[in-house]
Structures are given as structure tokens and as C-alpha cells.
Amino acid sequence: MELDLGNPKDILRIRGAKQDKLLIGPKWVSIGITKRCNINCRYCLMTPFRDIIRKRDKSGAQDMDFAHFREIIDDCRQLGVEQITLDGGEPFLHPEISKFINYADQCGLNIVINTNGTFDNKALESLKNVSVVNFNLSATNSKDYRKLQGAKENQFNRVLNNIRCAAKFKKNNGKNPFINIVFVINKYNFRDFKNIFGFAKSAGADGILFKIMRFNTNTKELAITSSDVRILKNDIKEIAAGAGHKMIKSNIKDLCEFLRVADFKCVFEEIDFNGMYSGDFYFKRKMKNGFKCYFSWFFADIEVTGDVFLCCARRSIPAIGNIYEKRFKDLWGSAKAGIARSDMKKNVDIGKKKWKECAYCSNIELSENLEAFIENTA
């Protein structure tokens, strides 16, 4: 997620955030289109929330229907949204995924898809209208893949083959899609870090997105320790000394910054997600005093349940409404959304129970960059 200060829409968002006004719609919208998933990743962020989501689900459906999706996309076009991300579950398990992609493309939106990559080859044709496809693949061999991602024996080869086919399809049919491998670092795979660059390149990927797993009491055995982080830092130095990492785009600089400021002392802290879920996470980020979050002027997350949030991870700020009851464009500009934005901008204090979760945010740098842009914009 990057800002473009030459983009008039971003300037409007920045000015709106500075003035506590809403001058345009979000830049990015994430849309959960299905609850279905055919593998069981041990590091999945949604695992702790599945029971909560099930209880508050007003739709009762496994999949978002096309009529509501079309309304969301029409509203996004009207609001000036630039990019949508199709998420799940596994988006390619939605029976109308191609129809969804084609409609969003016709409306001029850039499309990102987060997938586990186990889809059938027939899905490749729809990728010509996708800007970025993120393949969730956190292992370089079948054994580790099955252990980490709970998949069947043959699925690692299927994912690898789909990445290669997508790369070949892209070569034959134009520039789309940009292919990322998402590598979620944990105890089982951090020693594979040095291999992932060559592996991703040989598979035909264009980039690697590194993420650090968020650990809780149910996944303690996956938690990397301070000594593991030292090994990882040394591996990064070794890679940086060569040219291997330059052959493929990655967020390795962001990873280095994260490892520099994160605390990996294995002291678990109880975090209460506003009574929804208690998680025990042992690493967290340092945040400067007076931190302000402006993300809610730039982003919205629409779950398959219909609930709309102004943050991709926090659920302490309640949903601003539900798209099965009101249109997204009306929710975005609602009084409830305004209260949420003001709260996130003016009241963040990680010393208080309500805001502790923010110390584990993966978008702290983005929020700090936003703050710098906003404070220095007339």
C-alpha cells in the first residue's frame, strides 16, 4: 500500500484527514467474498475470529451474492476507490469469481486477489483482468507445506504449477497479473529464508511479500524467539551481501525495519479484542507518543457477513454498519463512521486496554507515513 502525492485523489484524502472532513472515498477496499477455504493454515489470522464472525453473521450465507457485490463495486466507482482486494476464505472457491472479477474490471478498478493457489487451471483466464495475485505459500517443499498449511499431499505441486502457469499466461497475454508469493515467517520456516528468493524466481513469481506471523497461545510452537530473530538477521545480511535478492522484488527492507523495532521476548500479553477474543501475542511494535491513525480515510474492510470496518485488523472499533442493510457509500459517509475516524485519530493510547491491539498493527509504518504527509500538507 503506497501513496502517490501526484494523485489528486490522494491529496483529497490527505486534506480530508487533516481537516476531519470526508472529501472522497477510500483508496483501498478489501472485500471478503466467501467463507469457504479448502486448506487449514496454522498461521491464519482468521482462526481466532471464526466463532465470533459466525455468531454475528446476519447473512447466513457462505458466499457474497453478485447483486450485493455489484452494489459495492458501483459505490466504489462513485466514491473514487482505486483498488479492491478480493479475499476470503479462498476467493477462487466462490462459484462466480470470474463474474466478480470481470465486473470490477469493467468498472475500472485495480483488482488484487489473495489466494492459496489451489484453484483449477480454468481460473487462469480470469487473471488477465487482475492487477496483482498474492499466492499464500510459506514453504519451499511439500513436507513443510503440509505441516504449515494443512493441505493434502498433492496440493503443494498444484500451487507451484499454478504459479508457473500464471507466469506463462502473463507472458503470453500481457502485463497482468503481477505475481507475489506471500511468505509468513514462523518457527517452522524461518531457516528457509535464504532459499525463498531463488525458489520464487524459479517458480515464475515477480515478488515476495514477507510477513511475521502473529502468534497466540494456540500456536506457541510456531513462535520465533529472540535467538531465531538473530539468525534471521544474519541471514538477511548474508543475502544483502550478494545479488540474489535483487533478482526479484520484495519488501525485505520493511522486514528489516520490523525486526529492528519489534520486541521478541516471548513474554505473552493478554489482549482483549473488545470482549470478542482474547489473544496472547508476544511481539509488538514500538509506537511514538501521540500516535495518530489516519488509515480510516484511506481504507475499508467489508466482510462476507456484510459488516464494514475502517481497519484491516482491529475489531475494537465497531463496524460502521452492514452492506446487507445499507449501501456502502452511505455507510462510508455516515455519522457512525465519522465517530470511528475521530476516535482513531485523536484517542489512540496503547497504555489503555482498548488500544493495546494497535501495537501489533502491521501498518504502523504506513500510518506514520500518512501522518507525516498530512502534517506537512497545507
Side-chain angles (χ1 to χ4, degrees):
M1 293 180 174
E2 296 180 356
L3 289 182
D4 178 5
L5 295 183
N7 180 350
K9 291 182 179 179
D10 277 348
I11 296 300
L12 284 175
R13 294 179 182 103
I14 289 171
R15 287 177 178 167
K18 187 179 182 75
Q19 300 168 15
D20 285 324
K21 296 179 180 178
L22 203 58
L23 304 177
I24 193 173
K27 184 180 182 75
W28 309 289
V29 174
S30 178
I31 308 172
I33 63 171
T34 183
K35 300 173 188 172
R36 306 172 196 268
C37 192
N38 56 338
I39 63 175
N40 186 26
C41 297
R42 299 180 68 182
Y43 49 75
C44 180
L45 277 175
M46 292 309 297
T47 299
F49 297 103
R50 286 192 176 118
D51 288 340
I52 288 97
I53 291 172
R54 196 176 296 115
K55 288 177 182 177
R56 71 162 188 255
D57 186 2
K58 298 176 183 179
S59 68
Q62 284 288 314
D63 306 308
M64 181 177 288
D65 62 87
F66 180 71
H68 283 99
F69 180 80
R70 181 174 55 199
E71 285 185 350
I72 294 170
I73 297 302
D74 290 346
D75 288 351
C76 285
R77 178 168 54 177
Q78 184 176 333
L79 288 167
V81 172
E82 297 167 52
Q83 176 182 292
I84 65 162
T85 297
L86 301 184
D87 218 329
E90 167 50 43
F92 282 103
L93 292 179
H94 195 294
E96 296 186 292
I97 180 66
S98 296
K99 189 176 180 180
F100 281 27
I101 291 172
N102 291 338
Y103 189 75
D105 178 63
Q106 291 168 14
C107 291
L109 294 168
N110 290 321
I111 304 166
V112 177
I113 294 186
N114 295 331
T115 176
N116 61 35
T118 60
F119 51 77
D120 294 330
N121 283 348
K122 64 183 180 181
L124 289 171
E125 177 66 26
S126 63
L127 294 182
K128 66 183 179 182
N129 295 326
V130 174
S131 300
V132 180
V133 56
N134 295 320
F135 284 87
N136 173 20
L137 184 60
S138 296
T140 60
N141 62 79
S142 180
K143 181 180 177 180
D144 290 343
Y145 177 75
R146 295 198 308 273
K147 181 167 60 176
L148 267 177
Q149 301 190 225
K152 297 177 182 177
E153 188 169 352
N154 65 333
Q155 285 182 311
F156 175 79
N157 290 330
R158 170 180 267 190
V159 176
L160 200 54
N161 183 62
N162 279 340
I163 294 173
R164 289 171 175 153
C165 287
K168 184 177 180 180
F169 179 85
K170 171 183 175 178
K171 183 178 180 180
N172 294 335
N173 294 277
K175 64 178 182 178
N176 286 340
F178 188 93
I179 302 167
N180 277 320
I181 286 179
V182 180
F183 193 80
V184 183
I185 297 173
N186 55 73
K187 188 78 170 183
Y188 286 176
N189 68 6
F190 80 97
R191 290 182 179 274
D192 217 11
F193 182 82
K194 289 192 289 186
N195 299 324
I196 190 61
F197 289 93
F199 173 83
K201 185 67 176 178
S202 65
D206 301 302
I208 307 170
L209 289 177
F210 293 109
K211 296 183 178 182
I212 298 287
M213 179 180 169
R214 288 179 66 168
F215 313 104
N216 58 53
T217 48
N218 295 321
T219 56
K220 280 185 177 181
E221 74 278 9
L222 294 174
I224 54 174
T225 63
S226 297
S227 59
D228 297 332
V229 171
R230 285 195 292 271
I231 293 172
L232 191 55
K233 287 180 178 179
N234 288 333
D235 287 346
I236 291 174
K237 288 179 182 179
E238 186 177 327
I239 289 170
H245 70 288
K246 296 180 181 178
M247 64 184 177
I248 191 166
K249 187 175 180 180
S250 76
N251 63 338
I252 191 170
K253 289 184 178 179
D254 295 334
L255 175 63
C256 289
E257 176 62 16
F258 185 94
L259 294 175
R260 185 183 70 83
V261 300
D263 181 5
F264 288 86
K265 292 182 179 178
C266 279
V267 177
F268 281 77
E269 179 181 19
E270 186 80 4
I271 302 297
D272 183 7
F273 291 78
N274 201 30
M276 292 171 55
Y277 164 70
S278 292
D280 310 271
F281 302 100
Y282 77 75
F283 74 84
K284 59 183 176 181
R285 307 289 307 283
K286 296 176 182 177
M287 297 174 69
K288 64 181 182 181
N289 293 330
F291 175 83
K292 298 177 181 178
C293 181
Y294 296 96
F295 202 44
S296 53
W297 272 269
F298 295 81
F299 178 82
D301 180 20
I302 305 174
E303 293 185 350
V304 67
T305 61
D307 285 337
V308 181
F309 295 89
L310 298 180
C311 175
C312 57
R314 291 191 73 242
R315 294 297 182 258
S316 299
I317 295 290
I320 61 173
N322 191 286
I323 56 102
Y324 298 124
E325 298 172 355
K326 289 185 178 180
R327 293 285 292 254
F328 172 59
K329 62 182 178 181
D330 297 325
L331 295 174
W332 176 254
S334 67
K336 193 170 184 179
I339 292 171
R341 288 188 187 95
S342 179
D343 202 16
M344 294 167 74
K345 175 180 175 180
K346 299 175 182 178
N347 298 324
V348 175
D349 180 356
I350 60 170
K352 295 181 179 179
K353 180 179 180 180
K354 175 181 177 179
W355 301 102
K356 273 190 176 183
E357 186 187 346
C358 292
Y360 303 89
C361 178
S362 59
N363 288 314
I364 287 180
E365 274 85 27
L366 177 60
S367 294
E368 290 178 343
N369 288 338
L370 285 174
E371 183 174 0
F373 286 135
I374 290 165
E375 294 299 327
N376 294 312
T377 299

